[in-house]
Amino acid sequence: MLKFTPEQELAVNQARASFNASQTALAAQSVLVGNAAPIPLDAWRRVDARASRIQRDVLSVFNRLAAANTTPVNMGDLVNYFPKISDSGEVHVSMDGRSEGRQDQALVQYSGTPIPVIDSYARFGWRQMEVMRKGATMLDTETIANHQRKVAEKMEDMVLNGLSSVVVGGSTIYGLRNFPDRTTGTHGFTLTAATGAQWLTAVSAVINGLVGDNAFGRVTVFLNFSDWTYASLNEFAAGYSKTILQRLREIEQIADIVPASKIPTGNIIGVAGLETGDWGSILSAMPMVTRPKARMNPEDDYVFGVMAVVAPQFRSDFDAHSTIAHWTTA
């Protein structure tokens, strides 16, 4: 999961503390009708704990990428740019040290990624909150969890499929499955019915595709959960002592094989050298967080906003080489 920077953590804590201070002040006005209760620390702990569990469950691909490389950005950065630099210069070898090497200037192209705000709001009536408060529960974390899951699911969908509806200055958000500079191919197999040899052929094609695109790091493979389950349960060959998944993990070039429920069946996604960050980065202006909205009157609804300001930024070099490969059935 994404980690909060000190500035992000301070912003969240101040928002919650300010809400409690405003409710305490509102309650001091001798309110006879309505509700103006602060949210206790224990309730926020339960909300945050549930958010962590949901993210661990939903963000299979997102979390793996974020753990490898995350770039904190400012909330005011609508688009984050990275440079693509062309080759330049040459090496000159001599015995007298008189260099005649070419001294040309590299070409630089900047590619941008918008950073959207993803949010979903849970709403409670003031009397509903009073009933919960009377029952000593105060806050319905299950209802808020629905909105946390929706935000998490959009984050996972974004790293896989991008977000074409967001375009800023001609820049949009791409995912692993539609990044223009990824290496692509087809393996032609229904993975949930494929033999061990066919699985080996499909995964080998992904690895060789990456090598052909000058991506030489060990490969992290992402699979559909059903495909991964099939490979983990079925023998590589009749009478063979290992499953398909065990045999694939023996390939020296494979760093890990990760199941993900949001990847379509038949898809194999490979990222070479995940730990190097050459594939790109997860841009984080604010990790997923739950904050209260201000209430002006004791009869106003309680509104809790679940928000994340994040985006995947997949990168390639000046010659459109990347460390990402995507193979499908057809």
mmCIF file with all atom_site columns, all heavy atoms in Angstrom, residues 78-79 81 110-114 166-172:
data_model
loop_
_atom_site.group_PDB
_atom_site.id
_atom_site.type_symbol
_atom_site.label_atom_id
_atom_site.label_alt_id
_atom_site.label_comp_id
_atom_site.label_asym_id
_atom_site.label_entity_id
_atom_site.label_seq_id
_atom_site.pdbx_PDB_ins_code
_atom_site.Cartn_x
_atom_site.Cartn_y
_atom_site.Cartn_z
_atom_site.occupancy
_atom_site.B_iso_or_equiv
_atom_site.pdbx_formal_charge
_atom_site.auth_seq_id
_atom_site.auth_comp_id
_atom_site.auth_asym_id
_atom_site.auth_atom_id
_atom_site.pdbx_PDB_model_num
ATOM 1   N N   . LEU A 1 78  ? -1.194 18.933 -11.462 1.00 0.00 ? 78  LEU A N   1
ATOM 2   C CA  . LEU A 1 78  ? -2.254 18.310 -12.252 1.00 0.00 ? 78  LEU A CA  1
ATOM 3   C C   . LEU A 1 78  ? -1.684 17.265 -13.204 1.00 0.00 ? 78  LEU A C   1
ATOM 4   O O   . LEU A 1 78  ? -2.330 16.262 -13.498 1.00 0.00 ? 78  LEU A O   1
ATOM 5   C CB  . LEU A 1 78  ? -3.031 19.365 -13.036 1.00 0.00 ? 78  LEU A CB  1
ATOM 6   C CG  . LEU A 1 78  ? -3.779 20.419 -12.203 1.00 0.00 ? 78  LEU A CG  1
ATOM 7   C CD1 . LEU A 1 78  ? -4.534 21.365 -13.120 1.00 0.00 ? 78  LEU A CD1 1
ATOM 8   C CD2 . LEU A 1 78  ? -4.726 19.755 -11.216 1.00 0.00 ? 78  LEU A CD2 1
ATOM 9   N N   . VAL A 1 79  ? -0.468 17.514 -13.699 1.00 0.00 ? 79  VAL A N   1
ATOM 10  C CA  . VAL A 1 79  ? 0.196  16.586 -14.610 1.00 0.00 ? 79  VAL A CA  1
ATOM 11  C C   . VAL A 1 79  ? 1.641  16.443 -14.158 1.00 0.00 ? 79  VAL A C   1
ATOM 12  O O   . VAL A 1 79  ? 2.306  17.434 -13.848 1.00 0.00 ? 79  VAL A O   1
ATOM 13  C CB  . VAL A 1 79  ? 0.151  17.084 -16.074 1.00 0.00 ? 79  VAL A CB  1
ATOM 14  C CG1 . VAL A 1 79  ? 0.831  16.064 -17.000 1.00 0.00 ? 79  VAL A CG1 1
ATOM 15  C CG2 . VAL A 1 79  ? -1.283 17.314 -16.517 1.00 0.00 ? 79  VAL A CG2 1
ATOM 16  N N   . TYR A 1 81  ? 5.426  15.117 -15.307 1.00 0.00 ? 81  TYR A N   1
ATOM 17  C CA  . TYR A 1 81  ? 6.163  14.840 -16.540 1.00 0.00 ? 81  TYR A CA  1
ATOM 18  C C   . TYR A 1 81  ? 7.459  14.086 -16.246 1.00 0.00 ? 81  TYR A C   1
ATOM 19  O O   . TYR A 1 81  ? 8.078  14.265 -15.202 1.00 0.00 ? 81  TYR A O   1
ATOM 20  C CB  . TYR A 1 81  ? 6.509  16.148 -17.264 1.00 0.00 ? 81  TYR A CB  1
ATOM 21  C CG  . TYR A 1 81  ? 5.309  16.871 -17.824 1.00 0.00 ? 81  TYR A CG  1
ATOM 22  C CD1 . TYR A 1 81  ? 4.642  17.825 -17.064 1.00 0.00 ? 81  TYR A CD1 1
ATOM 23  C CD2 . TYR A 1 81  ? 4.830  16.602 -19.106 1.00 0.00 ? 81  TYR A CD2 1
ATOM 24  C CE1 . TYR A 1 81  ? 3.532  18.496 -17.568 1.00 0.00 ? 81  TYR A CE1 1
ATOM 25  C CE2 . TYR A 1 81  ? 3.726  17.266 -19.618 1.00 0.00 ? 81  TYR A CE2 1
ATOM 26  C CZ  . TYR A 1 81  ? 3.085  18.209 -18.840 1.00 0.00 ? 81  TYR A CZ  1
ATOM 27  O OH  . TYR A 1 81  ? 1.996  18.860 -19.337 1.00 0.00 ? 81  TYR A OH  1
ATOM 28  N N   . TYR A 1 110 ? 9.284  15.272 -23.324 1.00 0.00 ? 110 TYR A N   1
ATOM 29  C CA  . TYR A 1 110 ? 8.608  15.108 -22.038 1.00 0.00 ? 110 TYR A CA  1
ATOM 30  C C   . TYR A 1 110 ? 7.241  14.472 -22.254 1.00 0.00 ? 110 TYR A C   1
ATOM 31  O O   . TYR A 1 110 ? 6.493  14.858 -23.149 1.00 0.00 ? 110 TYR A O   1
ATOM 32  C CB  . TYR A 1 110 ? 8.454  16.458 -21.331 1.00 0.00 ? 110 TYR A CB  1
ATOM 33  C CG  . TYR A 1 110 ? 9.742  16.962 -20.726 1.00 0.00 ? 110 TYR A CG  1
ATOM 34  C CD1 . TYR A 1 110 ? 10.591 17.786 -21.444 1.00 0.00 ? 110 TYR A CD1 1
ATOM 35  C CD2 . TYR A 1 110 ? 10.122 16.586 -19.438 1.00 0.00 ? 110 TYR A CD2 1
ATOM 36  C CE1 . TYR A 1 110 ? 11.790 18.238 -20.903 1.00 0.00 ? 110 TYR A CE1 1
ATOM 37  C CE2 . TYR A 1 110 ? 11.305 17.027 -18.885 1.00 0.00 ? 110 TYR A CE2 1
ATOM 38  C CZ  . TYR A 1 110 ? 12.135 17.851 -19.622 1.00 0.00 ? 110 TYR A CZ  1
ATOM 39  O OH  . TYR A 1 110 ? 13.320 18.291 -19.076 1.00 0.00 ? 110 TYR A OH  1
ATOM 40  N N   . SER A 1 111 ? 6.974  13.470 -21.440 1.00 0.00 ? 111 SER A N   1
ATOM 41  C CA  . SER A 1 111 ? 5.690  12.782 -21.496 1.00 0.00 ? 111 SER A CA  1
ATOM 42  C C   . SER A 1 111 ? 4.985  12.977 -20.154 1.00 0.00 ? 111 SER A C   1
ATOM 43  O O   . SER A 1 111 ? 5.610  12.830 -19.097 1.00 0.00 ? 111 SER A O   1
ATOM 44  C CB  . SER A 1 111 ? 5.900  11.296 -21.788 1.00 0.00 ? 111 SER A CB  1
ATOM 45  O OG  . SER A 1 111 ? 4.668  10.625 -21.897 1.00 0.00 ? 111 SER A OG  1
ATOM 46  N N   . GLY A 1 112 ? 3.712  13.302 -20.202 1.00 0.00 ? 112 GLY A N   1
ATOM 47  C CA  . GLY A 1 112 ? 2.992  13.644 -18.974 1.00 0.00 ? 112 GLY A CA  1
ATOM 48  C C   . GLY A 1 112 ? 1.920  12.639 -18.585 1.00 0.00 ? 112 GLY A C   1
ATOM 49  O O   . GLY A 1 112 ? 1.384  11.915 -19.425 1.00 0.00 ? 112 GLY A O   1
ATOM 50  N N   . THR A 1 113 ? 1.632  12.604 -17.282 1.00 0.00 ? 113 THR A N   1
ATOM 51  C CA  . THR A 1 113 ? 0.563  11.766 -16.740 1.00 0.00 ? 113 THR A CA  1
ATOM 52  C C   . THR A 1 113 ? -0.316 12.602 -15.827 1.00 0.00 ? 113 THR A C   1
ATOM 53  O O   . THR A 1 113 ? 0.172  13.149 -14.828 1.00 0.00 ? 113 THR A O   1
ATOM 54  C CB  . THR A 1 113 ? 1.140  10.586 -15.927 1.00 0.00 ? 113 THR A CB  1
ATOM 55  O OG1 . THR A 1 113 ? 2.021  9.821  -16.742 1.00 0.00 ? 113 THR A OG1 1
ATOM 56  C CG2 . THR A 1 113 ? 0.016  9.699  -15.397 1.00 0.00 ? 113 THR A CG2 1
ATOM 57  N N   . PRO A 1 114 ? -1.611 12.755 -16.142 1.00 0.00 ? 114 PRO A N   1
ATOM 58  C CA  . PRO A 1 114 ? -2.518 13.484 -15.233 1.00 0.00 ? 114 PRO A CA  1
ATOM 59  C C   . PRO A 1 114 ? -2.695 12.729 -13.917 1.00 0.00 ? 114 PRO A C   1
ATOM 60  O O   . PRO A 1 114 ? -2.571 11.498 -13.873 1.00 0.00 ? 114 PRO A O   1
ATOM 61  C CB  . PRO A 1 114 ? -3.841 13.540 -16.017 1.00 0.00 ? 114 PRO A CB  1
ATOM 62  C CG  . PRO A 1 114 ? -3.478 13.224 -17.431 1.00 0.00 ? 114 PRO A CG  1
ATOM 63  C CD  . PRO A 1 114 ? -2.290 12.322 -17.368 1.00 0.00 ? 114 PRO A CD  1
ATOM 64  N N   . VAL A 1 166 ? -9.821 10.915 -18.616 1.00 0.00 ? 166 VAL A N   1
ATOM 65  C CA  . VAL A 1 166 ? -9.036 12.033 -18.090 1.00 0.00 ? 166 VAL A CA  1
ATOM 66  C C   . VAL A 1 166 ? -7.958 12.391 -19.103 1.00 0.00 ? 166 VAL A C   1
ATOM 67  O O   . VAL A 1 166 ? -7.054 11.601 -19.377 1.00 0.00 ? 166 VAL A O   1
ATOM 68  C CB  . VAL A 1 166 ? -8.387 11.666 -16.731 1.00 0.00 ? 166 VAL A CB  1
ATOM 69  C CG1 . VAL A 1 166 ? -7.470 12.785 -16.254 1.00 0.00 ? 166 VAL A CG1 1
ATOM 70  C CG2 . VAL A 1 166 ? -9.463 11.372 -15.694 1.00 0.00 ? 166 VAL A CG2 1
ATOM 71  N N   . VAL A 1 167 ? -8.055 13.584 -19.680 1.00 0.00 ? 167 VAL A N   1
ATOM 72  C CA  . VAL A 1 167 ? -7.069 14.085 -20.637 1.00 0.00 ? 167 VAL A CA  1
ATOM 73  C C   . VAL A 1 167 ? -6.735 15.518 -20.257 1.00 0.00 ? 167 VAL A C   1
ATOM 74  O O   . VAL A 1 167 ? -7.620 16.369 -20.173 1.00 0.00 ? 167 VAL A O   1
ATOM 75  C CB  . VAL A 1 167 ? -7.593 14.031 -22.090 1.00 0.00 ? 167 VAL A CB  1
ATOM 76  C CG1 . VAL A 1 167 ? -6.536 14.568 -23.048 1.00 0.00 ? 167 VAL A CG1 1
ATOM 77  C CG2 . VAL A 1 167 ? -7.989 12.605 -22.472 1.00 0.00 ? 167 VAL A CG2 1
ATOM 78  N N   . VAL A 1 168 ? -5.463 15.785 -20.005 1.00 0.00 ? 168 VAL A N   1
ATOM 79  C CA  . VAL A 1 168 ? -5.013 17.125 -19.643 1.00 0.00 ? 168 VAL A CA  1
ATOM 80  C C   . VAL A 1 168 ? -3.867 17.513 -20.570 1.00 0.00 ? 168 VAL A C   1
ATOM 81  O O   . VAL A 1 168 ? -2.822 16.859 -20.573 1.00 0.00 ? 168 VAL A O   1
ATOM 82  C CB  . VAL A 1 168 ? -4.541 17.202 -18.175 1.00 0.00 ? 168 VAL A CB  1
ATOM 83  C CG1 . VAL A 1 168 ? -4.086 18.614 -17.831 1.00 0.00 ? 168 VAL A CG1 1
ATOM 84  C CG2 . VAL A 1 168 ? -5.651 16.763 -17.231 1.00 0.00 ? 168 VAL A CG2 1
ATOM 85  N N   . GLY A 1 169 ? -4.061 18.549 -21.354 1.00 0.00 ? 169 GLY A N   1
ATOM 86  C CA  . GLY A 1 169 ? -3.023 18.991 -22.276 1.00 0.00 ? 169 GLY A CA  1
ATOM 87  C C   . GLY A 1 169 ? -2.566 17.918 -23.240 1.00 0.00 ? 169 GLY A C   1
ATOM 88  O O   . GLY A 1 169 ? -1.385 17.854 -23.605 1.00 0.00 ? 169 GLY A O   1
ATOM 89  N N   . GLY A 1 170 ? -3.474 17.059 -23.644 1.00 0.00 ? 170 GLY A N   1
ATOM 90  C CA  . GLY A 1 170 ? -3.140 15.978 -24.560 1.00 0.00 ? 170 GLY A CA  1
ATOM 91  C C   . GLY A 1 170 ? -2.596 14.738 -23.891 1.00 0.00 ? 170 GLY A C   1
ATOM 92  O O   . GLY A 1 170 ? -2.360 13.726 -24.560 1.00 0.00 ? 170 GLY A O   1
ATOM 93  N N   . SER A 1 171 ? -2.382 14.783 -22.573 1.00 0.00 ? 171 SER A N   1
ATOM 94  C CA  . SER A 1 171 ? -1.856 13.631 -21.832 1.00 0.00 ? 171 SER A CA  1
ATOM 95  C C   . SER A 1 171 ? -3.001 12.878 -21.169 1.00 0.00 ? 171 SER A C   1
ATOM 96  O O   . SER A 1 171 ? -3.944 13.495 -20.651 1.00 0.00 ? 171 SER A O   1
ATOM 97  C CB  . SER A 1 171 ? -0.863 14.083 -20.762 1.00 0.00 ? 171 SER A CB  1
ATOM 98  O OG  . SER A 1 171 ? 0.250  14.737 -21.343 1.00 0.00 ? 171 SER A OG  1
ATOM 99  N N   . THR A 1 172 ? -2.912 11.559 -21.175 1.00 0.00 ? 172 THR A N   1
ATOM 100 C CA  . THR A 1 172 ? -3.928 10.744 -20.525 1.00 0.00 ? 172 THR A CA  1
ATOM 101 C C   . THR A 1 172 ? -3.251 9.703  -19.633 1.00 0.00 ? 172 THR A C   1
ATOM 102 O O   . THR A 1 172 ? -2.025 9.643  -19.545 1.00 0.00 ? 172 THR A O   1
ATOM 103 C CB  . THR A 1 172 ? -4.840 10.059 -21.557 1.00 0.00 ? 172 THR A CB  1
ATOM 104 O OG1 . THR A 1 172 ? -5.943 9.458  -20.886 1.00 0.00 ? 172 THR A OG1 1
ATOM 105 C CG2 . THR A 1 172 ? -4.080 9.004  -22.343 1.00 0.00 ? 172 THR A CG2 1
#
